[in-house]
Structure formats: structure tokens, C-alpha cells
Amino acid sequence: MNTSAQDSAPSDSATRPYMVESTVGGADRVPLWFMRQAGRSLPEYKRAREGTTMLESCLMPDLAAEITMQPVRRYGVDAAIFFSDIVVPLYAAGVGVDIKPGIGPVMDAPIRSLEAVRALPVLEAEQIDPVAKAVSKVRGELDDSVSLIGFAGAPFTLASYLVEGGPSRNHEHTKALMYSEPEVWDELMSSLASMTTHFLKAQIAAGADAIQLFDSWVGALDRADFERFVAPYSREVLSTPEIAAVPRTYFGVGTGELLSSISQLGVSTVGVDWRVPLDVAQTRVEGGKVLQGNLDPALLLADPDVLTAKVSEILDAGQRAINAGATGHVFNLGHGVLPDTNPDALARVVDTVHAFRSSRAY
Amino acid sequence: MNTSAQDSAPSDSATRPYMVESTVGGADRVPLWFMRQAGRSLPEYKRAREGTTMLESCLMPDLAAEITMQPVRRYGVDAAIFFSDIVVPLYAAGVGVDIKPGIGPVMDAPIRSLEAVRALPVLEAEQIDPVAKAVSKVRGELDDSVSLIGFAGAPFTLASYLVEGGPSRNHEHTKALMYSEPEVWDELMSSLASMTTHFLKAQIAAGADAIQLFDSWVGALDRADFERFVAPYSREVLSTPEIAAVPRTYFGVGTGELLSSISQLGVSTVGVDWRVPLDVAQTRVEGGKVLQGNLDPALLLADPDVLTAKVSEILDAGQRAINAGATGHVFNLGHGVLPDTNPDALARVVDTVHAFRSSRAY
């Protein structure tokens, strides 16, 4: 793929240490960022977004860059995550989709047939020029010590939105298609893997130092189905040379049964939700991975002392995971920041995590 | 507690074998029933419910009995599950709650303070007389070979509806209350444990042969929080002598990390959702338990041959669990029947399961 971003802003990530390198090789600091750190919990975000829809704002380079920078300025986190949405590549490619407040992404028409799959547009480089421009702008503004993580939805979660037509509790149409029409499923997932690959490559070419694949809803599957119907496509994305060249994190909610499989997708970091303590997660993943997580975002609504105690527990579990072979711990939430979160609670977490001193002799 | 049901229909469950006894001691048949087998997937249910709200219908003895019987007649399942809803005891006690179609239970006002908890009414025996009458009627109509399972929501899931004010994806207010005001939480859970106990005792007194506690949303918690904030109250319900005298099943969705704890609550049967294969579940539970589950209800929307193959896999996994020490396998879904399910798919599952021959020498 050839995007203008490749010409305009070649990545110099090779010269910058990725944040997690600070936790390996004896360094003593646990880096952190927060999933959905940019967004509705920040008053400066609400002001910046006024008069613009979510999807419009993702394709306005200056605005997307500003929103990406806001939590870095406010919290001093160790990474920026590029402000986007899982359906942005679909929207950019011309698929009929809108994000409805309080609901989530809603498709004009669900995609459930071979014809509908084949009618999906291919994502063209120029359609995500605004994304590349925004990434490049953010990378230019960030300190070298702060990593910029590229953002994309994983093929399964994208497929679920397309097949269900919107957010779903049970993903029943997605599963019915997967089980009953595996050829249609495979073609859909191939298209989405290709789209996701282009979307990530453009961000890396524009300056992203690392990427995270959000497979938010993949925890709805058991392990056998994950291996058969999902893993090949996520692996295809992650093994693309330009993507395999940067640190790669995979995250989904409720993935306790899938952690072993996820760790074998060609990732460097495994995101863990709050249900599985990090030291337990370490017993499930392939060796030599960084673990990322895993504060329950609901804890941010609890009392400060309760929150701080839980953060400390997670830091301790992360150390036990490192002592058992994990190559690092990136502190994060176990899912995205909830809209009602008080930013002061996140600031408190940053203080607690940055005050913590990691030790291999733990 | 003294309910009219105790007088009108003393249980003779001691004289009836509970269905699961057929899988232990060398018998060769795997019994089954389906969570939410009575309900929106059945045309006869839709006809019976016409002109009546969900909560009204739960407190109309003849109608609740008829709805409970419908799937037994249609499918020939091995158990009836009493037709009710998790919020019925709240509704019967006078708490302001409605079930909104397409949404679920919605409270007039969320319960988030000590005052609100203390203002919760106590469930009086006469308020659930209609339930006792319906149970008694069903037990009178059922063959002796078919078990009648009493129904109740577990305290945590009831608490989540009360504190959130309705269904919730993240249960954040529930968790905030639990973490930040543990005394309020404990008082709320004590009240709900008492209400659940009364509700189940009335059903047992009226003729229920067994009970199932539905802790649908408890999988939102990690194991430490489950042990601290939930287990004591569920254990209180299950250790009540009248309840401890009948077979007791506990079910929640996404409970892979909790199965060990759930098996230690004083249950005889552990419900397993579809994410954890039954033989894997067996490695997590305390010895000597029956396992119940675990077909993904979304499979009922897939092609017949896919469905049948998956049912066979589950039967095989159930046998492996029995060979590893489980005292039985009750076939069921891994969550409730989805409204769009074609009843023919469920009939096909019944045929496959009943044609299967269990063997200890597997």
C-alpha cells in the first residue's frame, strides 16, 4: 500500500525507546496509559468536540491530533493512543455507519450475505490521509519519551458490528454466519483483515511507534471457535512486516479462556481484562510477553483509598508476573475509561503507578 | 416462614428421583432442560401472554403454570423451570419496577443509599401466594419423571438491577457502592438474601423438587470480589435448611474465573456458560458436583448439522467430566434461549441428547 503518509512523515520509531523497554532490563518504572484516555470523561474533550460528530472528528487532522494529545498533557501518561473509533476505516471507505450517542456504531444495513460482503468497498490510501496527517502531527508534538500507539479494531469485532448492524449483547447473527456460512465468514474476515492492515500501516508510516488491536467482543467466543474463525485473520494483520516491526498489543474483554491463544497471534503484549489477575494471566500466556492491564474501570468511581489499594494490588501482581517470566508490565485499565469518570481519579492512578518502584528481586 | 403453599401442597419430592440421578450410578441417559425454555421463542407463549405484562403474568397462577408447562409438552424436556423473572420478588413486595420490552427490568428509582436500602420492603408470604399456587399447579400436572425447578435471582444480580436502576453493561454504580460503602452493600445484600430465601422456600414448600439461583451478571466480578462481596450472601441462601434439602444449581454468565468459588457455595450443580468446555470446568470445581451446560444459545440459530455436531461435542466433554469425577451432566444451554430461536432447533437438541448413551467406561 502506498499512502501519502509514507512520504510525508517517515517513522523514526527505531530511534525512540518504546515505553515498555523501561520495565525490562532492570529499569524500575512501570509505564502506563489508559484505554479511552481521550474522550468523554475529559471536559477539554467535550469542548473540542462541540458541533462535530464523533466520526467527523476522527477524520479532522487537527482535531483528532488535539484530542489525542489532551490526556498526555493532563495526566503525563507514557503513551498517547491515537484518537479514533473501531468503525473509522469502514466509515472512511464509504460504508454507511453512524455512531449514535448512548448506543454506539450503527450500520445503515447489516452485512449478512456473500453479495453484501463482496460489495464492501476497499479502503483507499487517500481515504485515510486525514488519519495519517493527524498521527504525524501528534508524533511531532509528543516528547520522545512518550510513545504513540496506533489504533485499530480487530477483524472479529469489526465483523460483529457489520453483521449485527450495531452493538450486540449476544452476537447471535455474527455467530450464525460464522457457523453456518463459513465461506462467507472467511471472505468477510479477509476483507476486514486487509482493511485493518491498511489502517495500521498508514498509522505506522505516519509515525506510530506501536499498535493496539482492539478485539473488544471476542470474549464472546470459546477457544476452539477463536482459533478457527478469528485467529487466522488477526494473525494475518499482525504478521504484516511493517506491523510486525513495531510493538503489538491485543486486547479484548472477557478473554480469560483465550489468553493462551491470543499470546500466540504474533503479539508482543497481551492486554488482560480485570477478571484475571496478572500473575494468573502469566500462567496462561506464551513466554516472553509483556502484560498490559488491568484495573476495573468501575474502580475509578470508588473512593480514593479503595482505588489506590487496588492499583497497588495490580502493581504487585504485575511484579509477580514479571518474576514468573513476563517481559514487562504496562499498567492500564481492564477496559476503557467510563464516561462518568472523574479525571482526578485517573490522575491519582498515574501518581500511584509512577511512585511504584519495580524490582526483579521482588 | 409460613406460606399458604406449605399447607396446600406439601412437597413429595423425596419420593421422586431428581433428573440428574439418572446420570449417576451407571444410568445411561443425559437429562436436559433449557434456560428460558418458556418464553418468547414459543408461539404458544406469545398467544398466552397477549394482553398481559410480563410481571402481571408471573403473578397469575393459572397463566404462570400454563407457561411453565408449555416447553415440557412441546419438547419433552426432563425438567420444568418455574416461569418467573429475577425481579418478581421485588415486584411482589411492592418495589417500583417494570419490565420494558427490549430493555429488561427498569426500577422507578435506583437504590444507592442506606436510607433507600432500609426502605426496601420485606417480602410477605401472602405476596407470593400466586407463585406458590402456580408451582403447586405445575407439580400436579407434571409427570413424576419430570423435575420442577424453582427459580430465583441471586442477591448480586438483584442488587445490580436495584443499584443501576436497570440492565447495565458495566455495573459501575453497583461496584462503586460495593467498594466505597461496604456497610450499605452488606445491608442491601442481606435484605436480598432474605428475600431470595423466602421466595425459594415458598416454591419448595409448594412442590419444587430443586432450585436454580440465577446470578446472571456475577461474571462482571473478579474472584476476590466475588468471595468478599457476593459469596457470603449466596451461601446464606443455599444453606437454609429447606433449600439445602433439595438439589441446588448456581448459574452465571462469564464465570470462568469463578467456577471454583461457585462450587464451594453449597451447591450440588454448577452451571457453566459456553466459554468453558465442561471437562475444563471439571478441573476448576470442587469434587462431587454435577455440571450443567453449556451450548451457546447462538448455535440454535445456526444450520442443523453445525448445531448437532456442537451438541455432540458437549455430550462428549460432559462424559469426560464425569470420568474425571463429576457426579453427572445435565445438558442445558450456556445462557437463556434467545427470542429469535426457532423451537425446531431446540427439539433437534432434545433428540440428539436423548439419543446419546452415557457410559462410565467412556
Side-chain angles (χ1 to χ4, degrees), chain B residues 2 25-26 53 65 90 121 130 140 153 162 174-175 177 202 206 215 228 340 354:
Chain B
N2 179 30
T53 71
L90 295 168
L162 282 172
T174 311
K175 290 177 179 176
L177 181 72
D215 210 351
R228 158 70 184 87
D340 289 342
H354 279 166

Side-chain angles (χ1 to χ4, degrees), chain A residues 310-333:
Chain A
K310 200 83 173 188
V311 170
S312 295
E313 274 178 34
I314 291 167
L315 288 164
D316 289 344
Q319 287 302 298
R320 289 194 297 273
I322 288 174
N323 291 336
T327 51
H329 173 208
V330 174
F331 192 96
N332 205 316
L333 305 182

Side-chain angles (χ1 to χ4, degrees), chain A residues 193-216:
Chain A
S194 167
M195 190 175 273
T196 297
T197 299
H198 286 187
F199 192 57
L200 286 175
K201 279 171 66 180
Q203 293 176 63
I204 293 167
D209 305 298
I211 62 95
Q212 176 158 322
L213 269 181
F214 288 81
D215 210 351
S216 310

Side-chain angles (χ1 to χ4, degrees), chain A residues 169-170 172 175-176 179-180 217 219-220 222 225 256-257 274-276 284 296 298-299 301-303 306 310 338, chain B residues 169-170 172 175 179-180 217 219-220 222 225 256-257 274-276 284 296 298-299 301-303 306 310 338:
Chain A
R169 191 183 272 275
N170 299 304
E172 62 257 50
K175 290 178 180 176
Y179 293 129
S180 301
W217 310 138
D222 69 17
D225 289 340
E257 309 303 322
W274 69 90
R275 292 171 178 87
V276 185
R284 301 185 192 173
D296 185 343
L299 256 304
L301 279 62
D303 281 352
V306 175
K310 200 83 173 188
L338 298 167
Chain B
R169 190 183 273 275
N170 299 305
E172 62 257 49
K175 290 177 179 176
Y179 293 129
S180 302
W217 309 137
D222 69 17
D225 289 339
E257 309 302 322
W274 69 89
R275 293 171 177 89
V276 184
R284 300 185 192 173
D296 185 345
L299 257 304
L301 280 61
D303 281 352
V306 175
K310 200 83 176 192
L338 298 166

Side-chain angles (χ1 to χ4, degrees), chain A residues 82-96:
Chain A
F82 182 63
F83 176 72
S84 190
D85 186 90
I86 280 175
V87 298
V88 161
L90 295 168
Y91 173 72
V95 177

Side-chain angles (χ1 to χ4, degrees), chain A residues 340-360:
Chain A
D340 289 341
T341 303
N342 184 334
D344 293 345
L346 286 163
R348 200 170 295 118
V349 174
V350 174
D351 289 345
T352 307
V353 173
H354 279 168
F356 180 77
R357 285 295 163 264
S358 171
S359 161
R360 291 240 161 220

